[in-house]
Amino acid sequence: MKDIAEVLAATYRTFNKEDFLKQCERFQLPLKKQMKEFSTGMKRKLQVLAAISHDADLLILDEPTAGLDVIARDELLELLREYMEKEGRSILISSHISGDLEGFCDDLYMIDEGKIILHEETDVLLSEYAVLKMTQQQYETIDQTYILCYKKESFGVSCLTDQKRFYMENYPQITIEKGNIDELIMMMIRGERK
């Protein structure tokens, strides 16, 4: 780690060697161990520590928590949250682990086959989106104005909406499940769009 700190200090003029080594100790990265002996979690932590230790305004991270256990993922996300506390910083994360995104990101973009199929604030997505479950007959009689996509199921039809309250108030007989990112992904990719 000390050798890596020297390389980073020579590469980035704003690299904070003292803070880097302190963070290595905090996250139990052994200073004298060879990197080839590091676990996947240790390597990920090292990558993120290297990225944040030179005071960048923007981090672009591809699957930063992939392959990590629950504890290591939580530690890494905590490190990124701390980084975000300073005004003017941003992180762009590409990830398939939706649970990490729900509690961490302000905005979500869903990309399918190179096209943005959804852009929404995370808070709006979690509070206003829902999956509606109903029989085929109910589906044919409800107002479909706010149905984004639908999917035929063995019990009838599942629909994705961004107007949960409208359906709660006007159709109390249908099942309304709070939306989460996994459901949203499944519906947007596998469902038929209106």
Side-chain angles (χ1 to χ4, degrees):
M1 296 305 292
K2 289 182 178 178
D3 293 342
I4 290 171
E6 293 301 325
V7 170
L8 292 171
T11 305
Y12 301 104
R13 60 180 167 73
T14 56
F15 178 73
N16 186 334
K17 182 179 173 183
E18 184 180 307
D19 186 57
F20 175 79
L21 293 173
K22 190 167 102 180
Q23 294 285 21
C24 287
E25 287 183 27
R26 173 185 170 196
F27 289 101
Q28 300 172 352
L29 297 177
L31 298 178
K32 295 182 180 180
K33 195 174 194 178
Q34 295 288 321
M35 254 184 42
K36 65 183 177 184
E37 298 172 28
F38 279 19
S39 68
T40 301
M42 293 165 78
K43 288 176 185 174
R44 292 274 192 229
K45 288 177 198 173
L46 173 59
Q47 290 169 344
V48 171
L49 283 174
I52 67 172
S53 293
H54 62 277
D55 202 31
D57 291 333
L58 172 66
L59 296 182
I60 300 174
L61 305 174
D62 184 27
E63 302 285 351
T65 60
L68 300 182
D69 63 45
V70 175
I71 302 298
R73 271 196 1 247
D74 186 59
E75 289 175 344
L76 194 74
L77 290 172
E78 180 62 28
L79 181 63
L80 293 172
R81 281 186 199 95
E82 289 173 10
Y83 163 84
M84 290 293 296
E85 288 176 2
K86 186 175 177 183
E87 188 72 28
R89 290 182 172 172
S90 298
I91 302 176
L92 176 64
I93 295 179
S94 170
S95 181
H96 291 90
I97 304 173
S98 62
D100 291 351
L101 302 175
E102 283 182 19
F104 187 73
C105 297
D106 295 327
D107 285 82
L108 291 170
Y109 288 83
M110 186 182 307
I111 300 171
D112 185 37
E113 296 181 10
K115 293 184 176 129
I116 296 173
I117 60 171
L118 178 75
H119 168 227
E120 190 66 80
E121 291 179 19
T122 307
D123 292 342
V124 171
L125 188 138
L126 296 174
S127 65
E128 302 300 323
Y129 282 66
V131 176
L132 313 174
K133 296 192 175 182
M134 63 199 83
T135 65
Q136 181 66 39
Q137 182 181 9
Q138 289 171 321
Y139 176 72
E140 291 168 4
T141 60
I142 67 166
D143 181 344
Q144 297 183 19
T145 304
Y146 305 112
I147 300 293
L148 302 174
C149 57
Y150 65 96
K151 188 170 80 168
K152 295 195 186 274
E153 308 275 9
S154 58
F155 60 82
V157 181
S158 288
C159 302
L160 179 67
T161 182
D162 60 354
Q163 299 292 323
K164 174 173 68 176
R165 192 162 281 106
F166 172 81
Y167 290 98
M168 290 174 73
E169 292 170 0
N170 295 295
Y171 300 97
Q173 70 277 17
I174 64 173
T175 301
I176 300 173
E177 296 179 351
K178 181 180 179 201
N180 65 39
I181 295 175
D182 285 337
E183 277 290 339
L184 176 79
I185 291 168
M186 296 297 287
M187 291 297 296
M188 292 295 290
I189 302 301
R190 293 192 172 162
E192 294 181 49
R193 298 219 173 81
K194 295 296 291 171

